[in-house]
Amino acid sequence: MSYNHNQSFFLLLLVTLSITSCYVIQAEARHLLEVTIPNLPKPELPQLSEIPTLPKLEFPEISKSELPTLPKPELPTLPKLEMPVIPKPELPTLPKLEIPQVPKKP
């Protein structure tokens, strides 16, 4: 019996909390609409002086190193393999099946 009373209590609590939370959100939204933002003066920025140009960097030249040439390896020639000839299998011919014609509906 007390179990049924707990269910109704929690249902009533849930409904009450949901109603109060909706009212708070609406009140805050109304408050935001009524607020006016004051106009602030724009700050004046000092003029920037010109940035001095940097001299172009010159890198020392690096001599290209040459790699020694390697002799080409001599590969032995491989004998050509002969493939055996496989005869094609002879398949028996199948008779053509005749499909009966379906009569048309008038």
Side-chain angles (χ1 to χ4, degrees):
M1 271 210 165
S2 65
Y3 183 70
N4 291 335
H5 293 295
N6 286 341
Q7 282 183 343
S8 61
F9 173 73
F10 286 123
L11 181 64
L12 181 64
L13 181 66
L14 178 70
V15 171
T16 306
L17 290 176
S18 65
I19 291 173
T20 56
S21 66
C22 291
Y23 175 73
V24 170
I25 292 172
Q26 290 174 357
E28 288 177 359
R30 190 179 315 120
H31 181 66
L32 287 175
L33 289 175
E34 295 172 356
V35 172
T36 58
I37 299 173
N39 292 332
L40 298 175
K42 293 183 180 179
E44 293 182 13
L45 298 175
Q47 292 183 354
L48 296 176
S49 61
E50 292 184 17
I51 300 173
T53 58
L54 296 175
K56 186 176 179 181
L57 296 176
E58 293 184 11
F59 296 106
E61 291 185 15
I62 301 174
S63 62
K64 292 183 179 179
S65 62
E66 294 183 11
L67 295 176
T69 58
L70 297 174
K72 290 186 178 179
E74 292 183 14
L75 297 175
T77 59
L78 296 175
K80 192 170 188 179
L81 295 176
E82 294 181 7
M83 297 294 293
V85 178
I86 301 174
K88 291 185 178 180
E90 294 182 8
L91 298 175
T93 58
L94 296 175
K96 185 176 179 181
L97 296 176
E98 294 182 7
I99 302 173
Q101 292 183 356
V102 179
K104 296 180 180 179
K105 287 188 176 181

